[in-house]
């Protein structure tokens, strides 16, 4: 590979790519993100390559392993350009038909199109599908056009032009000023103004400075960083390089959790390709700017996503946070000024430099600019990644884009911000989502997880789930977090088995306050949020648990399963599926569940085709929950 | 034994013996051996001149590391929020019942290690179970035994599938181990 040593050569390189691209008229993009790979996307790609060869179409048709566009629920996703025909749920065996019908005969296959559940009409074009139509995809938009392992794809669509602009047309101060003017706020959750953070690191006196990409997305229920890092790593790396230039850092790190093997792989490939092209290393594009990037894999610790903990992990030590009397922006990695930003924050930087701060300012609300990617999951029809301008209401996200709650169930709550966030009830559905509005109602943006819950979700169980998660993930360095969370978990466990009293709930509230006020890092400080918000909005459910009932019929300790004699046909399916042989009965006679043996797994309830198994709630004999220690 | 230490030497050399690469070195050893054997750790300690206590501190703090042997196949059941509200815990229960072990344990025949993880980032496909590098999404508890049995009996077929998934030489093997 020849090196690109000047801005002019980069433009020439791009022009050549455009010329080459011109000869291939049709592109078949298959999403090769983790979600679609789990749904056999790799086989789909392989079959496409084979079929194209078989039909001797290789000169005209390109098959692309693209990044994740976000509609994971409907994978494997295939988009055929230039017509933008969007096929969903494509199986490897559909490929031959797609090639012979759509590619050769130009006929659309209706059964593979997305059907709008409201109008029941199939939709041909990707951009017409409501899930995509109502989004503003400035960050994710290119994912489906780009093969993330191929740097040429990124360059073809204008990649590294922002870096060239920053290096040649702007002084570092001007880059910093542009980012400050854009009012970009940190997408990792805190929402701290990015420009101000950069400025602190820039102004700190030191011979050496560092910049870091935080891709330690440990929040359960969030995967936007993964999609960006897997699908378009160059966008993030370009942002990092521009940041390095503005701040005065020559060394960058990408911290990726090892649970995301594909993100690690794609980032490493991207860095290698950059080095080969001469876009990383000494004297980039002949500008005199030197920059190197190293990938550091996380080893599985949620708390290591916290900035000071992450830095000590990169240093090869235990990833525990430290008190931040002195910010990491002043004294971070190896005690040098270090600027750490989330994946999504860095990804916004090239866009701001290319389009200007004024363009960015036009998107979003007064104090939260730009778009935000949410991972919309849980009890919602269209799950996946949703990128919308700040200020879009929860209702638009969940109903217009997400298609509402499935199976005719009633919406109960939406949990935003992961374990640090809170659960919001129906009355806040028209809340415009931005950093400040969410905070006002007791939740937060967090990294952008959005979990929809319906009437079958127990809010006490959800609070217990998050506290359980955080108490396991607490590093244990400070006592309020280590002991406080453990005790909160004990009370919540008692609630789910009907053993807690009103005094316990009072204590739970007190503990929440103490943990919030006195923990060392944000993990502990925000850990009580799910408890406090559920207490605020769903207090009646806590009361019901004290009375021995779980209204959503989720908490095992408060459930009984019985068989309705009038409905039971004696088919024996429940008996076959019972793991503990608690069900007895002869064939074609009414079956019976022995409640002394029953472990309330609910298998019988799910498999019964005649609705004969009844689930009831009410205080039973003492069942000690598994989690209780 | 000497062969094993040689392998570890290769890993250390890859990082030019840098002390701060300790976690990356341990991750690579874990990937190769599926656990961190004591002689290996002693050798790392010797070569990098890092006290054993510090190495053990790291090996016990991070979830990716194990100080006990792991099974041939590693099953990770996702219990992230999205999977949790879609009955992820029942998938774990089904796997536990089928294998006769609890989460975090290894079957006596060293065939399977069962783990629960807090998020695999496949939230739209919940509930998700990952066996080695293969994801199984939108699962029902009743499907779990059948999937696991495939791995017990037909390893050759699965290897082929994995190879298909990683078609070109430039692809690095996916990192196999997550948490305990």
């Amino acid at each position: 590979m020849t090196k690109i040593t000047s801005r002019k050569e980069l433009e020439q390189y791009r022009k050549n790519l455009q010329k080459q691209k011109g000869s291939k008229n049709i592109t078949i993009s298959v999403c090769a993100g983790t979600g679609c790979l789990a749904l056999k996307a790799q086989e789909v790609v392989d079959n496409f390559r084979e079929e194209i060869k078989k039909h001797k179409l290789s000169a005209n048709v390109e098959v692309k392993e693209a990044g994740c566009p976000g509609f994971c629920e409907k994978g494997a996703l295939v988009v055929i350009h230039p017509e933008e025909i969007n096929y969903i749920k494509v199986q490897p065996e559909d490929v031959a038909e797609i090639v012979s019908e759509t590619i050769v005969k130009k006929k659309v296959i209706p059964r593979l199109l997305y059907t709008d559940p409201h109008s029941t009409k199939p939709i041909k074009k990707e951009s017409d599908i409501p899930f995509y139509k109502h989004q503003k995809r400035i960050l994710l938009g290119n994912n489906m056009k780009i093969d993330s392992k191929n740097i040429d794809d990124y360059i073809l669509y204008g990649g590294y032009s922002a870096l060239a602009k920053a290096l040649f047309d702007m002084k570092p101060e001007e880059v910093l000023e542009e980012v400050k003017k854009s009012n970009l706020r940190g997408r990792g959750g805190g929402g701290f103004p990015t420009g101000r953070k950069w400025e602190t690191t820039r102004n700190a006196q030191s011979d050496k400075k560092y910049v870091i990409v935080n891709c330690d997305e440990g929040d359960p229920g969030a995967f936007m960083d993964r999609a960006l890092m897997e699908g378009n790593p160059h966008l993030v790396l370009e942002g990092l390089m521009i940041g390095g230039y503005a701040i005065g850092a020559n060394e960058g790190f990408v911290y990726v959790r090892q649970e995301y093997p594909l993100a690690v792989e794609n980032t490493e490939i991207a860095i290698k390709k950059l080095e080969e092209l001469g876009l990383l290393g000494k004297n980039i594009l002949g500008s005199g700017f030197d920059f190197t990037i190293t990938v550091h894999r996380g080893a599985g610790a949620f708390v290591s996503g916290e900035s000071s903990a992450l830095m000590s992990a990169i240093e090869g030590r235990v990833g525990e946070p430290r008190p931040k009397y002195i910010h990491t922006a002043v004294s971070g990695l190896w005690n040098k000024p270090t600027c750490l930003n989330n994946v999504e924050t860095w990804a916004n930087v090239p866009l701001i430099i290319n389009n200007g701060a004024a363009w960015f300012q036009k998107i979003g609300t007064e104090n939260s600019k730009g778009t935000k990617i949410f991972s919309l999951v849980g009890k919602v029809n269209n799950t996946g990644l949703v990128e919308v301008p700040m200020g879009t209401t929860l209702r638009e996200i969940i109903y217009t884009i997400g298609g509402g709650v499935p199976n005719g169930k009633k919406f109960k709550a939406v949990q935003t911000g992961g374990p640090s966030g809170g659960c919001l009830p129906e009355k806040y559905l028209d809340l415009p989502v931005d950093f400040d509005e969410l905070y006002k109602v007791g939740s937060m943006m967090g990294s952008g997880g959005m979990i929809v819950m319906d009437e079958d979700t127990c809010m006490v169980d959800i609070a217990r789930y998050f506290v359980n998660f955080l108490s396991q993930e607490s590093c244990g360095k400070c006592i309020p977090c280590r002991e406080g969370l453990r005790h909160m978990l004990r009370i919540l466990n008692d609630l789910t088995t009907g053993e807690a009293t009103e005094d316990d709930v009072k204590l739970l509230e007190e503990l929440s306050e103490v943990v919030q006020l006195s923990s060392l890092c944000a993990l502990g400080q925000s850990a009580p949020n799910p408890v406090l918000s559920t207490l605020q909005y769903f207090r009646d459910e806590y009361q019901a648990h004290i009375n021995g009932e779980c209204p959503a019929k989720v908490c095992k300790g408060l459930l009984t399963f019985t068989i309705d004699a009038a409905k039971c046909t004696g088919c024996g399916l429940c008996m076959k599926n019972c793991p503990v042989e608690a069900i007895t009965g002869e064939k074609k006679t009414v079956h019976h569940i022995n409640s002394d043996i029953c472990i309330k797994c609910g298998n019988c309830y799910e498999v019964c085709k005649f609705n004969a198994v009844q689930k009831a709630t009410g205080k039973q004999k003492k069942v000690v929950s598994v989690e209780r220690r | 034994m000497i062969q094993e230490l040689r392998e570890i030497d290769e890993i250390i050399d890859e990082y030019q013996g840098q002390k701060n690469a300790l976690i990356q070195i341990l991750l690579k050893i874990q990937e190769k051996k599926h656990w961190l054997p004591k002689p290996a750790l002693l050798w790392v300690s010797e070569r990098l001149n890092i006290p054993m206590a510090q190495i053990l501190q790291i090996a016990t703090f991070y979830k990716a590391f194990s100080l006990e042997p792991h099974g041939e196949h590693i099953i990770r059941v996702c219990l992230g929020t999205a999977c949790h509200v879609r009955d992820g815990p029942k998938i774990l229960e089904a796997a536990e019942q089928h294998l006769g072990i609890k989460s975090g344990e290894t079957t006596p025949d060293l065939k399977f290690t069962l783990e629960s993880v807090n998020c695999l980032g496949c939230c739209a496909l919940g509930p998700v179970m990952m066996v080695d590098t293969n994801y199984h999404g939108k699962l029902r508890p009743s499907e779990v035994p059948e999937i696991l049995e495939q791995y017990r009996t037909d390893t050759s077929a699965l290897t082929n599938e994995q190879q298909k998934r990683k078609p070109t030489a430039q692809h690095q093997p996916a990192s196999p181990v997550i948490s305990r």
Side-chain angles (χ1 to χ4, degrees):
Chain A
M1 211 179 244
T2 45
K3 297 230 177 204
I4 301 175
T5 54
S6 70
R7 190 183 192 179
K8 212 174 137 198
E9 278 178 37
L10 178 67
E11 287 313 316
Q12 192 53 48
Y13 190 81
R14 197 187 327 275
K15 270 187 200 138
N16 289 344
L17 290 173
Q18 275 156 354
K19 236 184 262 168
Q20 285 165 25
K21 169 86 188 162
S23 66
K24 288 205 178 186
N25 297 327
I26 300 169
T27 308
I28 303 170
S29 293
V30 184
C31 169
T34 302
C36 282
L37 284 180
L39 298 166
K40 301 187 189 162
Q42 191 63 54
E43 277 177 65
V44 172
V45 171
D46 296 345
N47 285 5
F48 265 122
R49 295 221 163 106
E50 230 165 78
E51 285 294 318
I52 295 297
K53 220 185 266 168
K54 222 192 271 171
H55 284 84
K56 301 201 170 61
L57 291 166
S58 304
N60 201 25
V61 183
E62 187 187 8
V63 181
K64 190 164 282 184
E65 290 175 51
C68 170
F71 206 5
C72 310
E73 173 94 30
K74 306 282 185 226
L77 300 165
V78 174
V79 179
I80 299 162
H81 297 285
E83 289 100 332
E84 223 192 278
I85 302 168
N86 184 71
Y87 287 143
I88 58 164
K89 296 192 175 174
V90 176
Q91 295 289 309
E93 49 272 21
D94 295 326
V95 169
E97 192 185 345
I98 295 175
V99 174
S100 64
E101 291 297 304
T102 310
I103 306 292
V104 177
K105 294 184 199 153
K106 304 280 169 210
K107 270 196 227 155
V108 174
I109 306 164
R111 93 183 137 82
L112 293 173
L113 293 176
Y114 175 80
T115 309
D116 185 39
H118 300 294
S119 67
T120 65
K121 273 189 190 144
I123 299 172
K124 184 178 139 189
K125 275 179 94 173
E126 185 189 31
S127 52
D128 290 337
I129 295 171
F131 178 78
Y132 294 118
K133 200 170 148 186
H134 300 280
Q135 295 187 39
K136 187 172 178 67
R137 291 145 49 84
I138 60 172
L139 295 171
L140 289 175
N142 274 343
N143 274 17
M144 208 50 176
K145 292 183 197 154
I146 286 175
D147 176 348
S148 45
K149 294 189 172 68
N150 187 350
I151 189 169
D152 288 353
D153 274 6
Y154 182 68
I155 293 179
L156 181 70
Y157 289 101
Y160 293 102
S161 58
L163 176 71
K165 185 177 171 185
L167 291 179
F168 294 102
D169 299 344
M170 300 164 93
K171 290 195 190 96
E173 298 83 8
E174 287 171 327
V175 176
L176 176 67
E177 206 46 49
E178 201 69 18
V179 173
K180 267 172 86 179
K181 250 197 287 175
S182 73
N183 280 346
L184 173 67
R185 293 172 69 172
R187 299 298 199 249
F192 189 81
T194 305
R196 261 172 58 201
K197 202 182 211 175
W198 286 24
E199 197 174 30
T200 314
T201 313
R202 186 181 160 75
N203 291 343
Q205 294 299 316
S206 176
D207 55 334
K208 183 96 193 157
K209 287 170 190 176
Y210 299 101
V211 279
I212 301 178
V213 179
N214 185 353
C215 187
D216 186 56
E217 186 177 46
D219 278 22
F223 59 110
M224 59 290 284
D225 291 350
R226 198 202 69 193
L228 266 176
M229 214 66 224
E230 278 177 14
N232 199 352
H234 286 290
L235 184 67
V236 183
L237 299 181
E238 188 180 359
L240 183 73
M241 290 162 80
I242 295 170
Y245 173 70
I247 289 162
N250 295 107
E251 218 177 319
F253 288 88
V254 185
Y255 187 99
V256 198
R257 60 196 298 241
Q258 55 95 41
E259 288 91 330
Y260 288 172
L262 192 60
V264 175
E265 181 186 329
N266 287 1
T267 311
E268 279 174 346
I269 291 173
I271 292 170
K272 214 171 132 232
K273 292 273 165 83
L274 279 171
E275 286 166 350
E276 281 170 13
L277 271 182
L279 291 172
L280 263 184
K282 293 253 173 240
N283 194 14
I284 294 165
L285 294 175
S287 66
F289 174 60
D290 307 334
F291 199 73
T292 56
I293 303 177
T294 314
V295 175
H296 181 101
R297 279 195 294 162
F302 179 70
V303 72
S304 294
E306 198 271 349
S307 58
S308 63
L310 187 148
M311 289 171 200
S312 83
I314 292 184
E315 289 169 13
R317 295 186 286 121
V318 165
E320 281 177 349
R322 60 159 175 84
K324 290 194 279 188
Y325 309 117
I326 303 167
H327 288 291
T328 49
V330 177
S331 174
L333 205 52
W334 292 292
N335 299 325
K336 304 284 179 190
T338 308
C339 182
L340 172 138
N341 283 131
N342 170 264
V343 169
E344 211 182 320
T345 317
W346 289 117
N348 271 299
V349 172
L351 303 172
I352 292 169
I353 297 303
N354 262 337
N355 301 308
W359 165 83
F360 192 75
Q361 283 257 353
K362 278 189 206 135
I363 312 165
T365 58
E366 198 192 336
N367 291 318
S368 302
K369 297 292 177 196
T371 60
K372 175 81 192 91
I373 310 175
F374 293 100
S375 82
L376 185 65
V377 291
K379 305 287 183 70
V380 62
N381 273 314
N382 302 333
T383 57
L385 292 181
V386 173
E387 184 181 350
V388 287
M390 296 272 190
T392 309
T393 65
L394 284 168
R395 192 183 297 279
E396 281 172 86
I397 297 172
I398 297 166
Y399 285 89
T400 313
I401 297 169
V405 181
N407 306 325
K409 299 271 181 178
K410 208 171 157 311
F411 172 88
K412 188 184 226 169
V414 55
Q415 210 275 346
T416 68
S420 320
C423 296
L424 300 177
E426 203 177 356
K427 69 170 174 182
Y428 288 123
L429 272 179
D430 290 310
L431 185 88
V433 184
D434 72 7
F435 287 106
D436 311 309
E437 294 293 326
L438 283 174
Y439 192 73
K440 269 187 222 160
V441 293
S443 187
M444 61 190 277
M445 183 80 89
S447 58
M450 199 172 266
I451 296 125
V452 182
M453 296 162 191
D454 68 2
E455 53 191 292
D456 292 340
T457 314
C458 170
M459 302 315 285
V460 178
D461 177 61
I462 286 297
R464 189 198 63 80
Y465 168 80
F466 281 117
V467 174
N468 180 42
F469 168 77
L470 291 166
S471 114
Q472 279 175 16
E473 294 293 341
S474 168
C475 73
K477 188 173 183 176
C478 73
I479 297 165
C481 178
R482 185 182 68 224
E483 298 301 326
L485 288 178
R486 188 178 289 192
H487 204 79
M488 284 169 69
L489 178 63
R490 179 162 289 189
I491 295 172
L492 287 160
N493 277 336
D494 283 353
L495 274 162
T496 58
T497 51
E499 287 160 52
T501 62
E502 274 167 40
D503 286 345
D504 286 329
V505 175
K506 246 184 233 158
L507 181 61
L508 182 64
E509 276 182 290
E510 272 174 42
L511 277 168
S512 297
E513 249 171 73
V514 173
V515 173
Q516 221 171 23
L517 287 171
S518 54
S519 291
L520 181 65
C521 80
L523 187 147
Q525 285 158 15
S526 62
N529 285 357
V531 176
L532 290 172
S533 68
T534 44
L535 270 167
Q536 189 179 351
Y537 301 120
F538 301 94
R539 205 174 184 105
D540 51 332
E541 286 196 29
Y542 279 84
Q543 193 56 47
H545 281 76
I546 293 169
N547 298 340
E549 270 176 40
C550 174
K553 295 183 185 165
V554 169
C555 297
K556 270 188 189 176
L558 301 172
L559 289 186
T560 37
F561 288 88
T562 50
I563 292 179
D564 185 348
K567 286 181 182 164
C568 180
T569 61
C571 70
L573 198 57
C574 56
M575 200 158 83
K576 216 176 116 195
N577 279 285
C578 180
V580 290
E581 294 174 2
I583 303 177
T584 50
E586 294 296 314
K587 203 121 188 112
K588 293 191 177 160
T589 61
V590 175
H591 284 43
H592 174 74
I593 300 175
N594 185 345
S595 60
D596 289 337
I597 306 173
C598 176
I599 55 163
K600 329 223 161 158
C601 67
N603 279 1
C604 52
Y605 181 81
E606 254 152 50
V607 296
C608 183
K609 290 176 181 141
F610 308 99
N611 292 328
V613 180
Q614 309 278 313
K615 191 155 62 164
T617 176
K619 198 163 182 172
Q620 300 302 309
K621 76 181 179 78
K622 196 172 168 179
V623 183
V624 177
S625 63
V626 190
E627 293 85 355
R628 179 148 190 193
R629 295 190 192 112
Chain B
M1 181 72 185
I2 289 167
Q3 180 57 34
E4 278 184 9
L5 292 186
R6 208 167 276 156
E7 274 175 22
I8 287 154
D9 267 340
E10 276 171 26
I11 294 171
I12 295 171
D13 292 342
E14 210 181 301
Y15 291 94
Q16 287 114 36
Q18 286 171 6
K19 271 190 186 187
N20 63 324
L22 176 62
I23 296 171
Q24 307 302 305
I25 290 167
L26 294 184
L27 276 171
K28 289 242 161 114
I29 296 173
Q30 170 87 35
E31 251 161 56
K32 230 176 198 146
K33 302 260 160 233
H34 298 298
W35 70 300
L36 300 177
K38 196 174 173 189
L41 294 183
L42 284 167
W43 188 234
V44 172
S45 164
E46 181 75 31
R47 285 269 333 253
L48 295 182
N49 195 18
I50 295 175
M52 193 63 179
Q54 197 184 327
I55 293 178
L56 284 175
Q57 188 193 18
I58 283 174
T60 49
F61 179 83
Y62 292 104
K63 288 193 190 129
F65 303 125
S66 169
L67 295 172
E68 283 158 28
H70 268 194
E72 193 183 321
H73 299 292
I74 294 172
I75 307 160
R76 298 177 196 106
V77 179
C78 181
L79 295 182
T81 325
C83 291
H84 179 83
V85 299
R86 285 187 181 183
D87 283 344
K90 284 189 186 162
I91 303 291
L92 180 63
E93 255 172 48
E96 284 180 341
Q97 269 158 21
H98 181 73
L99 298 173
I101 50 170
K102 290 272 164 210
S103 167
E105 292 176 356
T106 302
T107 52
D109 61 356
L110 286 181
K111 203 84 184 166
F112 293 106
T113 295
L114 180 64
E115 301 169 340
S116 65
V117 287
N118 284 322
C119 192
L120 289 170
C122 265
C123 311
L125 307 175
V128 180
M129 176 172 80
M130 190 176 175
V131 188
D132 301 332
T133 53
N134 302 324
Y135 293 84
H136 300 272
K138 294 186 183 173
L139 271 184
R140 289 161 56 99
S142 54
E143 293 167 349
V144 171
E146 198 187 320
I147 293 173
L148 295 184
E149 278 315 298
Q150 278 174 21
Y151 287 87
R152 193 190 294 278
T153 50
D154 192 13
T155 44
S156 58
L158 287 160
T159 325
N160 282 340
E161 197 192 320
Q162 283 165 6
Q163 280 167 356
K164 258 190 187 171
R165 209 166 263 195
K166 299 272 164 197
T168 54
Q170 65 177 11
H171 290 213
Q172 305 262 327
S175 90
V177 177
I178 292 186
S179 63
R180 193 153 29 126

